[in-house]
């Protein structure tokens, strides 16, 4: 009977060990028994960027990258996007089950109670330049909320965690909208608790002098679907940041600010903004082949393409393309979609992309919809951060409640100087620091 184990022989010592395999993985700590002598630290794994390292056990999101499958708590993303609302899915991601009607009603009421910001929070935003990037404003203001709710540092208290989770889910759209209004020099619009989560966000963004904002229901639903698609994605870069910072028992506001910072990078959530810049540079379909040649020459990446896990079409990109049609019926077709569709067609027939299994990811089409809805490209990653806050918080809470987890502190392979003594100043030569230092 085949055993779930690998048999390893350390050729340096001829020591042979059987390492158990559990859930398709071996424990890195089991390798430490391979030593060359009593003073040897033991064998480590070396895995830059964690290409092949599971950092945790999680029951929240399942991705099959080869098959292009994404499920939250076992439910296919396609069904959740079609049949649920964002706050319904937020409840599922956080609590593990879809809410019944009374539970959803209470959940919506609780989140709605926390949409307001302390007036002092608005003063944080006033300190930013008019042209400050909204992601910088968002991350800073979320971090500043740590000072407004000092009790949030008691992260091991489930009641304290539950309240901060509701506060963050409720307040992210408000902060996001305020960053947008600040950039335009417009007055802030207070939340309207009669409106749905997405419609209220639109209200705080776009209400002018009318007595009550009327959100277009098609656009509100499209935004809700986009929020569902962006809610969680297992151990992505920003979730890893949330877990790592949270593992020191930092409060959830500072941990979420760190996750926002990670998301802002152009290789991660910042890609949706970069896609629109890329489509502007391409300008027209006839210029696509020349652009692709430059990508293949390694001059730059095709933004919105490729993924560490998906080696097939990102299922979220497919749903976003479908949602775009309903938005364009209201807003008019965004001409950039034609360039994006042609770019996808050409790329998916090109050996360079086919060989590397590079497909459109969630960021390839999302910006085109956002722009059609009236958002500036600088806001796109903020629109990613709002729903991803739910995933970050669910992963953060799962980490805190996981008995196997402790403060994240990776090891290293030291490549620096051996021990050496300080030389008196008068005896030192001019230091030859490498250009890349
Ligand atoms: C998100 O992790 C998540 O789940 C993230 C996310 C989420 O929901 O949280 O899904 C959201 O971040 C989506 C990704 C958004 N980023 C982009 O669209 C930026 C463009 N994409 C790439 O930078 C890249 O594809 C990554 C960062 C997404 C993934 O990079 P990997 O897994 O480290 O892959 P790699 O860089 O090692 O690439 C493997 C090969 C390389 O070529 P070779 O060295 O083998 O010749 O593929 C090439 C890369 O040069 N390649 C690309 C490319 N992506 C990879 N070439 C051109 N264009 C690209 N977009």
């Amino acid at each position: 009977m085949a055993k779930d184990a690998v048999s390893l022989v350390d050729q340096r010592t001829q020591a042979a060990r059987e390492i158990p395999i559990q859930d398709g993985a071996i424990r890195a700590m089991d390798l430490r028994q391979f030593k060359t002598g009593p003073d040897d630290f033991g064998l480590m794994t070396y895995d830059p960027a964690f290409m092949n390292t599971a950092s945790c056990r999680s029951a929240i999101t399942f991705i099959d990258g080869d098959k292009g499958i994404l499920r939250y708590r076992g439910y296919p993303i396609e069904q959740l996007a079609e049949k649920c609302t964002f706050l319904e899915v937020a409840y599922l991601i956080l609590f593990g089950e879809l809410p019944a009607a009374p539970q959803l009603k209470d959940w919506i009421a609780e989140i709605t109670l926390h949409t307001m910001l302390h007036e002092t929070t608005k003063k944080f935003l006033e300190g930013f330049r008019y042209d400050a990037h909204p992601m910088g404003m968002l991350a800073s203001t979320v971090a500043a909320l740590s000072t407004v709710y000092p009790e949030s540092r008691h992260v091991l208290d489930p009641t304290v965690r539950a309240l901060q989770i509701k506060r963050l889910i409720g307040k992210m759209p408000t902060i996001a909208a305020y960053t947008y209004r600040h950039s335009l020099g417009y007055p802030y619009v207070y939340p309207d608790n009669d409106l749905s989560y997405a419609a209220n966000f639109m209200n705080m963004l776009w209400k002018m002098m009318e007595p009550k904002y009327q959100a277009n229901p098609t656009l509100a639903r499209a935004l809700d679907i986009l929020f569902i698609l962006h809610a969680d994605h297992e151990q992505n870069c920003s979730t890893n940041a949330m877990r790592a910072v949270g593992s020191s028992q930092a409060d959830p506001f500072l941990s979420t600010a760190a996750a926002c910072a990670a998301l802002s990078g152009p290789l991660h959530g910042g890609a949706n903004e970069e896609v629109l810049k890329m489509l502007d540079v391409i300008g027209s379909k006839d210029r696509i082949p020349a652009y692709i040649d430059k990508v293949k020459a390694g001059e730059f990446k095709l933004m919105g393409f490729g993924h560490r896990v998906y080696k097939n079409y990102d299922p979220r990109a497919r749903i976003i393309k479908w949602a775009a049609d309903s938005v364009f019926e209201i807003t008019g077709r965004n001409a950039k979609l034609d360039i994006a569709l042609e770019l996808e067609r050409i790329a998916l027939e090109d050996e360079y992309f086919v060989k590397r299994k590079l497909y459109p990811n969630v960021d390839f089409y999302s910006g085109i919809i956002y722009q059609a809805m009236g958002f500036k490209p600088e806001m796109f990653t903020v629109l990613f951060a709002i729903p991803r806050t739910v995933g970050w918080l669910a992963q953060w809470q799962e980490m805190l409640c996981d008995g196997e987890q402790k403060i994240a502190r990776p090891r290293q392979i030291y490549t620096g100087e051996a021990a050496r003594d300080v030389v008196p100043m008068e005896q030192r030569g001019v230091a030859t620091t490498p250009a890349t230092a």
Side-chain angles (χ1 to χ4, degrees):
M1 168 72 172
K3 287 177 76 172
D4 282 334
V6 284
S7 299
L8 299 178
V9 175
D10 185 340
Q11 299 293 337
R12 302 169 298 178
T13 61
Q14 299 313 309
R17 296 282 189 285
E18 203 170 76
I19 310 290
I21 296 170
Q22 188 182 6
D23 300 319
I26 62 169
R27 285 182 172 275
M29 285 301 288
D30 286 347
L31 298 175
R32 287 278 292 281
Q33 57 189 309
F34 289 101
K35 296 173 181 271
T36 55
D39 298 336
D40 183 354
F41 177 78
L43 209 54
M44 290 193 295
T45 57
Y46 175 54
D47 189 12
F50 314 125
M51 296 288 283
N52 190 42
T53 295
S55 62
C56 64
R57 291 176 178 281
S58 179
I60 298 168
T61 293
F62 172 76
I63 302 173
D64 181 323
D66 291 329
K67 299 192 181 98
I69 289 172
L70 170 58
R71 299 184 195 129
Y72 296 156
R73 301 286 189 178
Y75 292 97
I77 191 68
E78 295 81 2
Q79 293 185 32
L80 293 172
E82 185 190 345
K83 302 175 190 277
C84 298
T85 64
F86 170 67
L87 284 184
E88 193 179 351
V89 171
Y91 186 100
L92 168 70
I93 288 173
L94 282 158
F95 302 109
E97 297 296 340
L98 283 169
Q103 291 167 310
L104 180 58
K105 183 170 180 285
D106 292 347
W107 174 242
I108 291 170
E110 287 165 20
I111 298 299
T112 303
L113 268 183
H114 293 288
T115 51
M116 287 280 280
L117 291 172
H118 277 258
E119 287 297 298
T120 53
T121 307
K122 287 163 53 175
K123 294 192 175 65
F124 302 148
L125 284 158
E126 286 313 314
F128 294 109
R129 280 167 51 107
Y130 70 94
D131 59 352
H133 195 289
M135 273 307 282
M137 289 195 268
L138 179 75
S140 312
T141 306
V142 169
L145 288 183
S146 167
T147 66
V148 179
Y149 305 109
E151 75 279 8
S152 65
R153 64 181 51 230
H154 303 299
V155 298
L156 300 181
D157 179 334
T159 309
V160 169
R161 286 201 304 266
L163 176 54
Q164 315 320 317
I165 285 171
K166 289 171 202 165
R167 280 173 167 158
L168 272 158
I169 296 173
K171 295 179 194 311
M172 284 302 262
T174 312
I175 299 170
Y178 283 16
T179 67
Y180 177 71
R181 300 287 287 199
H182 176 77
S183 70
L184 297 173
Y186 290 173
Y188 299 130
V189 175
Y190 284 95
D192 177 342
N193 291 344
D194 293 341
L195 301 176
S196 71
Y197 194 79
N200 180 38
F201 179 47
M202 294 163 72
N203 159 61
M204 295 186 288
L205 285 165
W206 292 319
K207 180 179 180 295
M208 297 311 277
M209 301 321 289
E210 66 271 36
K212 191 161 178 75
Y213 181 77
Q214 301 296 328
N216 177 296
T218 302
L219 299 185
R221 178 57 186 151
L223 203 49
D224 207 56
I225 290 172
L226 284 158
F227 282 172
I228 290 170
L229 298 176
H230 287 82
D232 190 58
H233 213 238
E234 57 136 284
Q235 304 312 313
N236 57 85
C237 179
S238 52
T239 295
N240 182 60
M242 184 79 181
R243 280 178 169 259
V245 173
S247 74
S248 72
Q249 296 187 8
D251 74 57
F253 297 100
L254 291 173
S255 302
T256 301
C260 284
L263 186 74
S264 71
L267 296 186
H268 190 14
N272 53 20
E273 179 180 350
E274 296 302 318
V275 167
L276 260 291
K277 290 179 189 169
M278 173 181 75
L279 294 176
D280 281 337
V281 165
I282 293 172
S284 58
K285 287 197 277 191
D286 61 312
R287 293 170 57 177
I288 292 173
Y291 192 87
I292 289 223
D293 287 345
K294 288 183 178 178
V295 170
K296 288 158 64 175
E299 285 190 42
F300 32 66
K301 299 263 194 249
L302 190 61
M303 300 314 278
F305 257 70
H307 200 277
R308 174 65 55 78
V309 177
Y310 288 125
K311 300 310 171 191
N312 199 321
Y313 213 99
D314 184 333
R316 300 168 295 176
R318 191 174 284 116
I319 299 168
I320 289 173
K321 252 200 308 191
W322 162 77
D325 293 341
S326 64
V327 169
F328 294 153
E329 278 173 23
I330 306 293
T331 63
R333 186 177 177 80
N334 186 336
K336 294 199 175 68
L337 178 64
D338 297 323
I339 301 176
L341 289 168
E342 180 64 2
L343 184 55
E344 174 189 335
R345 185 191 66 77
I346 294 175
L348 295 189
E349 291 172 356
D350 188 300
E351 179 54 23
Y352 176 93
F353 298 92
V354 173
K355 186 174 80 169
R356 293 168 176 82
K357 297 185 178 179
L358 303 175
Y359 292 87
N361 59 48
V362 68
D363 290 314
F364 189 63
Y365 287 106
S366 55
I368 294 167
I369 292 188
Y370 291 145
Q371 188 179 52
M373 293 175 81
F375 291 102
K376 298 188 296 184
E378 293 76 19
M379 281 295 288
F380 293 176
T381 309
V382 170
L383 297 171
F384 195 147
I386 293 171
R388 186 54 60 90
T389 298
V390 168
W392 291 333
L393 290 167
Q395 299 272 353
W396 166 75
Q397 180 147 251
E398 187 178 62
M399 176 272 300
L400 287 171
C401 298
D402 181 344
E404 281 201 301
Q405 292 294 338
K406 48 176 48 177
I407 187 167
R409 202 269 183 228
R411 310 305 299 229
Q412 65 170 19
I413 294 173
Y414 178 66
T415 59
E417 299 284 346
R420 52 182 174 165
D421 298 321
V422 174
V423 173
M425 186 63 78
E426 62 276 6
Q427 294 176 26
R428 281 180 216 163
V430 173
T432 53
T433 47
T436 54

